[in-house]
């Protein structure tokens, strides 16, 4: 399968690429930065992993940068993994509209535009494709300082559910993976105390495994998940 | 260009087990006269875009063949 993965250069995105490549798929990775870890993966899977540096805060340019210059109609796209995101953490009374809009560009508007053109590619090739959005446990369990970030991920969850209903008749699936807190750059700004409190709320009392999240994404992309659509799959160490 | 549009529309109709149409007139309506659904129109858009590199639904709805011709002119 040919899979588009955004935010591929580090953390969960990099692990998703790694799992998909191990399974024999071809991965089209998009991110701002071209990291040493990604380059190492490229060398290991020469000819199966492609990269384009794209600024995903430019939702208007997404069609051109992603679909005109990278995944053209000659590429039969089977899956789209929307993983790229930025975090804007603060309490609500400090909300800064410009920062909120900038986060929505990356977390919501660009993924929606990419979904539009990914489905168009699937329509052209009559592909029963699979779309996966990476959300966050903060949509389902409240945390101080994450209201704005959680709202952007909540928007994706709603978008995914209705995309699933709309395109299900053509066999196109859309699901969300909801990770718990992971030890990635995304949560690096948290203090140790904050982190411990977050982990204490989980059943397994630990950080969510990045590999478990990536394996779940790979499963949802595969035919093994052919009857799963419109779902939010929690990979969160039991944050209940 | 008009011949290509006719081909694409008949391809979509064939997949729905509908008879091919012999000709298209500018006033031919996509939904009512050609029995195209919103999914069919999405497929039509994608195929036209692949052929002519123009998104006919970019700025609003298109309801007749004449409107498609105008976008591609």
């Amino acid at each position: 399968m040919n899979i588009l993965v955004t935010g591929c250069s580090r953390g969960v995105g990099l692990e998703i690429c790694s799992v998909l490549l191990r399974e024999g798929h071809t991965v089209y990775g998009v991110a701002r930065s071209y990291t040493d870890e990604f380059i190492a993966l490229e060398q290991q899977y020469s000819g199966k992993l492609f990269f384009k540096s794209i600024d995903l805060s430019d939702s208007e340019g997404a069609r051109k940068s992603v679909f005109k210059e990278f995944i053209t109609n000659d590429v039969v796209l089977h899956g789209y993994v929307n993983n790229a995101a930025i975090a804007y953490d603060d309490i609500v009374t400090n909300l800064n509209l410009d920062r909120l809009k900038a986060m929505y560009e990356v977390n919501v508007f660009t993924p929606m535009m990419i979904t539009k053109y990914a489905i168009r590619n699937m329509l052209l090739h009559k592909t029963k494709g699979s779309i996966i959005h990476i959300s966050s446990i903060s949509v389902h369990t409240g945390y101080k300082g994450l209201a704005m970030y959680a709202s952007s991920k909540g928007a994706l969850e709603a978008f995914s559910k209705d995309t699933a209903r709309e395109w299900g008749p053509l066999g196109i699936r859309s699901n969300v993976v909801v990770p718990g807190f992971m030890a990635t750059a995304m949560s690096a700004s948290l203090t140790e105390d904050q982190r411990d409190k977050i982990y204490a709320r989980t059943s397994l009392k630990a950080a969510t495994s990045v590999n478990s999240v990536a394996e779940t994404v790979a499963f949802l992309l595969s035919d093994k998940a052919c009857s799963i659509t419109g779902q939010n799959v929690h990979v969160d160490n039991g944050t209940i | 260009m008009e011949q290509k549009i006719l081909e694409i529309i008949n391809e979509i109709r064939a997949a729905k087990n509908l008879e091919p149409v012999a000709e298209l007139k500018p006033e031919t309506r996509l939904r009512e006269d050609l029995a195209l659904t919103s999914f069919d129109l999405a497929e039509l858009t994608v195929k036209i875009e692949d052929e002519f590199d123009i998104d006919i639904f970019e700025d609003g709805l298109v309801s007749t063949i004449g409107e498609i011709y105008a976008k591609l002119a």
Side-chain angles (χ1 to χ4, degrees):
Chain A
M1 295 198 292
N2 296 318
I3 317 286
L4 165 64
V5 179
T6 63
C8 63
S9 60
R10 57 169 70 92
V12 186
L14 186 71
E15 185 66 17
I16 291 167
C17 293
S18 178
V19 169
L20 292 174
L21 289 162
R22 215 178 303 142
E23 290 184 356
H25 304 300
T26 299
V27 177
Y28 291 81
V30 161
R32 258 176 316 187
S33 49
Y34 192 38
T35 60
D36 292 343
E37 295 94 321
F38 188 89
I39 292 167
L41 207 56
E42 245 180 354
Q43 283 163 352
Q44 197 183 339
Y45 293 97
S46 173
K48 300 287 273 184
L49 179 59
F50 304 97
F51 176 80
K52 188 164 192 281
S53 175
I54 288 174
D55 175 11
L56 292 167
S57 65
D58 177 14
S59 56
E60 282 184 37
R63 178 190 176 220
K64 183 172 179 286
S65 59
V66 181
F67 291 93
K68 289 281 162 192
E69 299 169 357
F70 194 40
I71 301 170
T72 62
N73 280 342
D74 295 336
V75 177
V76 180
L77 191 64
H78 301 93
Y80 163 40
V81 182
N82 165 35
N83 165 71
I86 55 171
Y88 162 41
D89 306 342
D90 210 336
I91 58 172
V92 177
T93 45
N94 288 343
L95 196 160
N96 175 287
L97 188 58
D98 287 338
R99 292 190 65 183
L100 183 71
K101 284 180 179 172
M103 181 180 67
Y104 263 74
E105 284 287 341
V106 176
N107 294 10
V108 182
F109 301 147
T110 297
M112 286 170 78
M113 292 309 287
I114 294 180
T115 302
K116 168 183 174 176
Y117 293 106
I119 293 176
R120 283 182 172 213
N121 181 295
M122 291 167 189
L123 269 179
L124 183 68
H125 298 290
K126 300 199 181 302
T127 312
K128 291 180 177 175
S130 174
I131 298 161
I132 318 283
H133 298 280
I134 306 298
S135 180
S136 160
I137 190 58
S138 59
V139 176
H140 304 272
T141 310
Y143 298 86
K144 179 186 168 195
L146 293 189
M148 285 78 88
Y149 174 71
S151 74
S152 72
K153 293 298 191 176
L156 284 181
E157 291 193 7
F159 181 63
S160 173
K161 190 175 287 270
D162 291 71
T163 301
R165 186 75 181 189
E166 189 172 293
W167 292 96
L170 298 190
I172 296 171
R173 297 181 294 114
S174 179
N175 289 290
V176 176
V177 171
V178 187
F181 276 86
M182 296 170 279
T184 60
M186 196 81 159
S187 54
S189 60
L190 297 171
T191 65
E192 204 166 321
D193 189 42
Q194 281 173 315
R195 233 170 280 175
D196 287 345
K197 273 188 190 160
I198 285 167
Y199 299 154
R201 285 171 75 167
T202 68
S203 301
L204 296 174
K205 307 290 179 202
T208 295
S209 152
V210 173
N211 179 255
S212 183
V213 172
E215 290 283 358
T216 305
V217 169
F219 166 71
L220 288 170
L221 286 169
S222 76
D223 283 343
K224 292 176 194 165
C226 65
S227 289
I228 305 175
T229 193
Q231 299 302 310
N232 299 331
V233 180
H234 287 243
V235 185
D236 61 3
N237 276 352
T239 309
I240 47 181
Chain B
M1 177 263 275
E2 297 183 8
Q3 186 56 36
K4 190 67 205 175
I5 302 292
L6 180 65
E7 269 173 40
I8 293 173
I9 283 173
N10 279 332
E11 209 178 290
I12 294 169
R13 282 176 59 91
K16 292 157 61 90
N17 295 317
L18 293 173
E19 292 289 311
V21 290
E23 61 162 349
L24 296 170
K25 294 179 182 149
E27 61 274 21
T28 305
R29 294 169 302 173
L30 302 171
R31 288 174 182 269
E32 297 84 349
D33 301 331
L34 296 172
L36 301 182
T37 65
S38 53
F39 283 149
D40 299 329
L41 293 177
E43 189 179 339
L44 177 70
T45 306
V46 164
K47 288 185 165 167
I48 288 176
E49 189 182 21
D50 188 49
E51 193 70 35
F52 302 100
D53 202 25
I54 289 171
D55 182 349
I56 56 169
F57 273 92
E58 184 84 77
D59 46 8
L61 288 177
V62 169
S63 51
T64 64
I65 288 293
E67 287 167 38
I68 296 180
Y69 290 165
K71 298 249 179 185
L72 301 182

